[in-house]
Amino acid sequence: MSVAEDQIAQEPRIVTEIPGPKSRELHARRQAVVPPGVHSVVPVYVERAHGSVLVDVDGNQIVDVCGGIGVTTIGHTDDAVVAAAAAQLGKVTHTLFTMTPYEPYVQVAEHLARNVPGSTAERPYKTLLMNSGAEAVENGVKIARRYTRRPGVAVLEHAYHGRTALTSSMNHKGAPYAQGYGPRVGDIYKAPNSYPLRDGLSGPEAAKRTIAYLEKMAGAEDLACLVVEPVQGEGGFIVPADGYLPALAEWCRANGIVFIADEVQAGMARTGTVFSIEQFGVEPDIVLSAKGIAGGLPLAGITGRAEIMDASLPGGLGGTFGGNPVSCAAAVAVFDQIERDGLLARAKHIEEVFGDGLRGLAAKHSAIAEVRGKGAMLAIEIVKPGTLEHDPELTQRVIDFAVQRGILLLSAGIYGNVIRFLPSLQFTDELCATVVRVLDEAFEATTA
Ligand SMILES: *Cc1c(COP(=O)(O)O)cnc(C)c1O
């Protein structure tokens, strides 16, 4: 147990109203100098954190079931990550890899080559490192276009890929991500996805619909790539029906389209395998990672088949901060724990324990239409009882109730009627039970 863990008990403890007086004071200062477009869902100012608990400036302890949207997968201020980053800080913090390189970048690429499905020791996948998820998507598309010499980009409904000009045009939701920021980028085709709760289609049926749409609207020969989140994140943790992703991958292969798995949210041990696509039996041409890869530091990977990655000319790929040495050292510490410390089994354990708790709630509260997800990436979809009508108001009331009890939850879904859970893999059974109990109280109080 670290000093920090010793100081931050892994439990909620509320000592002021939420947000407390110091948070409100900071929020007033912030509003004068930070634009409202940079919205904070819960304006509680965090001073420190460890494991699964945040401590705010007023001394409240809040259980973090979001992990900064799936970033602190191995827990906040993980001892090994902090030690590795601190050691690297004292050695070298920047040279620019495309100027004079360093080992940690190569180590991260080696870890990714070992863990991406499809990559083998004889023919390892190669990696470009950048800083953010959106940059990973930008570069994945760029590399696929260079390799295929085709312009078109296929994405799925309910997708989320980022907030840059290209990626905000790829998102399903125009408002608030692309609205008013036009012109939106062209040659992007948004095909229907597989959404078992709502479309009732089998995987092969849903794939047929997706493919028919793309063949009509884009034409396969114009498509450079299909970008899919194997488990959709912002879209509401939608798990496609069995057989959907393999059918899409097969169609891509037959038509020379690069299959890109956007694992920015679902990857890095979150779902119980290093990359979630593994559980669908697909070997993607390119895998994108970011969020959880460096234990809270900014880093993103674009990992793909060598012939695709090798299609760019020297100097065509990179960026000043891409693959920062401190972030890379932290990522190596994350991979070491994933490969050695049974973190994948932890994700499966959370799926069982927390999933059971959520299914118990669904049996009791008819507003919960479905419990879904994989590993430590779980969600409940909230509807008007007896219908499939979205209920974003109830969703928000439940979330607001929970934060007053020291449980930080986050919504998802195009209509904001999903609560997604992204606990750290250190989340204890006791914390799972606490979250389920508070949710139970929240549904009792808000549906009464
Ligand atoms: C968060 C996210 C992104 C964008 O990542 P940023 O680091 O915020 O740019 C892209 N794809 C998916 C699936 C994401 O969840």
Side-chain angles (χ1 to χ4, degrees), residues 24-285:
R24 289 205 302 274
E25 202 182 305
L26 270 168
H27 201 57
R29 270 172 57 198
R30 163 248 180 87
Q31 280 171 317
V33 290
V34 180
V38 194
H39 177 69
S40 296
V41 181
V42 182
V44 160
Y45 286 71
V46 176
E47 192 172 75
R48 59 208 172 90
H50 191 71
S52 304
V53 175
L54 307 171
V55 182
D56 76 4
V57 288
D58 291 289
N60 296 296
Q61 286 189 191
I62 298 176
V63 175
D64 185 2
V65 203
C66 312
I69 315 199
V71 168
T72 53
T73 306
I74 61 165
H76 289 276
T77 57
D78 175 76
D79 292 348
V81 168
V82 170
Q88 185 60 44
L89 264 175
K91 288 185 192 162
V92 59
T93 59
H94 179 79
T95 64
L96 180 49
F97 190 78
T98 55
M99 191 66 209
T100 44
Y102 39 84
E103 185 178 2
Y105 190 116
V106 181
Q107 288 176 295
V108 173
E110 287 170 347
H111 277 292
L112 284 163
R114 263 206 298 282
N115 284 291
V116 165
S119 178
T120 62
E122 298 73 43
R123 304 197 60 197
Y125 279 31
K126 294 186 177 178
T127 292
L128 158 71
L129 294 177
M130 298 300 293
N131 306 289
S132 69
E135 275 188 313
V137 177
E138 288 267 351
N139 281 279
V141 169
K142 172 176 156 178
I143 290 166
R145 281 176 165 164
R146 170 89 198 170
Y147 173 68
T148 59
R149 302 294 173 122
R150 300 172 179 178
V153 177
V155 291
L156 297 179
E157 288 178 353
H158 301 267
Y160 179 82
H161 298 294
R163 284 193 181 85
T164 57
L166 172 65
T167 57
S168 63
S169 302
M170 292 165 67
N171 297 339
H172 185 168
K173 224 157 83 167
Y177 303 125
Q179 188 183 33
Y181 299 116
R184 299 184 197 185
V185 177
D187 252 325
I188 294 170
Y189 303 90
K190 298 181 181 176
N193 64 338
S194 164
Y195 193 160
L197 173 69
R198 291 181 179 278
D199 64 26
L201 297 177
S202 72
E205 286 166 350
K208 217 167 140 189
R209 184 176 66 165
T210 304
I211 292 165
Y213 179 95
L214 290 172
E215 285 183 338
K216 243 190 192 26
M217 300 305 168
E221 68 186 40
D222 271 3
L223 288 175
C225 55
L226 168 66
V227 186
V228 298
E229 299 158 82
V231 180
Q232 292 184 310
E234 304 298 304
F237 288 18
I238 302 165
V239 183
D242 285 346
Y244 179 70
L245 293 176
L248 292 189
E250 199 184 305
W251 175 74
C252 284
R253 197 165 308 116
N255 290 281
I257 300 162
V258 176
F259 185 100
I260 302 180
D262 179 350
E263 295 256 9
V264 168
Q265 196 158 156
M268 294 307 296
R270 170 58 59 191
T271 64
T273 46
V274 179
F275 291 102
S276 65
I277 191 87
E278 210 177 308
Q279 296 175 52
F280 299 96
V282 170
E283 293 180 354
D285 298 313

Side-chain angles (χ1 to χ4, degrees), residues 289-314:
S289 34
K291 293 198 162 100
I293 192 170
L297 278 81
L299 187 67
I302 301 92
T303 306
R305 287 199 287 119
E307 63 267 35
I308 297 174
M309 300 302 288
D310 289 349
S312 289
L313 296 178

